[in-house]
Amino acid sequence: MKRVALYPGSFDPMTHGHLSIIHRGLKTFDGLVVAIANNSKKTPLFSVEERKEMILTAIGHDPRVEVDSFQGLMVDYAKRRGISIVLRGLRAVSDFEYEFQLANMNRKLDPTVDTVFMMTGEDYFYISSQLVREVASLGGNLEGLVPEPVAEALRGKFVKTSKEQP
Ligand code: ADP
């Protein structure tokens, strides 16, 4: 039987940190479903379609990886897909508290769901999508933070924004 894990997140946008977790996840699992949370409470920089495309381009269309999106509770989506393992990445100690709460809440909501954590590599522990968006909005160098197509898309967003706002 194939072991497939769910890797949920906002991926707004995908960073080298996310990519590193996906590559490492594939050493443990036969397949991954990267699931973009379509959260109506957050206003994302990139649409779900744009995020999906960026992830697929960064991964290079690996048949072991499916990219999908979901609305609502992650455990409900996992159940619909018949997946009981959730993969999450851990950066600094600061991630631990939130991830610990989330994993336990998800287990309370659905006891069949278990969360597996992977530590990020030392080159990526400081990278978050939020900081990347900030760096991009201020015209900073994105090399080593996100795959090149993502950097290009970020530059596109912020060039457009600065032109729109004289
Ligand atoms: P969320 O909005 O749910 O925090 P993210 O898109 O930020 O989702 O992240 C999805 C998952 O990827 C989370 O488990 C997060 O900890 C992990 N992650 C994000 N950035 C990194 C990184 N630089 N290294 C390792 N894991 C990361």
Side-chain angles (χ1 to χ4, degrees):
M1 211 177 94
K2 288 203 167 171
R3 292 182 74 82
V4 175
L6 186 69
Y7 181 35
S10 308
F11 306 103
D12 187 33
M14 143 155 288
T15 68
H16 275 309
H18 293 129
L19 206 50
S20 154
I21 296 291
I22 291 172
H23 285 144
R24 248 126 24 83
L26 286 171
K27 291 186 187 158
T28 303
F29 300 104
D30 302 311
L32 290 177
V33 175
V34 179
I36 303 167
N38 193 354
N39 185 344
S40 56
K41 285 212 186 96
K42 285 189 192 171
T43 311
L45 179 63
F46 291 101
S47 70
V48 167
E49 271 317 307
E50 287 174 315
R51 283 179 270 169
K52 210 181 254 185
E53 207 44 53
M54 279 189 271
I55 297 170
L56 284 171
T57 308
I59 293 165
H61 297 266
D62 186 322
R64 295 170 300 170
V65 184
E66 180 191 332
V67 184
D68 194 12
S69 62
F70 69 99
Q71 273 183 323
L73 282 175
M74 191 270 297
V75 287
D76 290 342
Y77 173 75
K79 186 168 250 163
R80 279 205 303 280
R81 298 296 313 259
I83 300 173
S84 59
I85 307 165
V86 174
L87 175 63
R88 295 284 288 180
L90 276 182
R91 283 163 288 192
V93 186
S94 52
D95 273 350
F96 178 80
E97 201 175 333
Y98 173 68
E99 293 289 343
F100 182 72
Q101 280 189 323
L102 193 65
N104 281 286
M105 179 57 80
N106 284 332
R107 197 152 54 189
K108 169 91 177 72
L109 292 169
D110 184 345
T112 65
V113 166
D114 249 313
T115 308
V116 168
F117 294 101
M118 281 197 170
M119 299 282 180
T120 182
E122 72 237 33
D123 293 340
Y124 306 126
F125 74 93
Y126 61 93
I127 304 176
S128 70
S129 297
Q130 190 197 335
L131 261 183
V132 162
R133 290 196 301 270
E134 259 173 66
V135 170
S137 74
L138 299 170
N141 184 0
L142 298 168
E143 209 184 311
L145 302 178
V146 294
E148 186 41 38
V150 175
E152 223 175 278
L154 278 164
R155 285 190 289 267
K157 283 272 176 203
F158 289 110
V159 165
K160 236 188 275 157
T161 311
S162 55
K163 272 186 191 156
E164 276 163 11
Q165 295 171 349

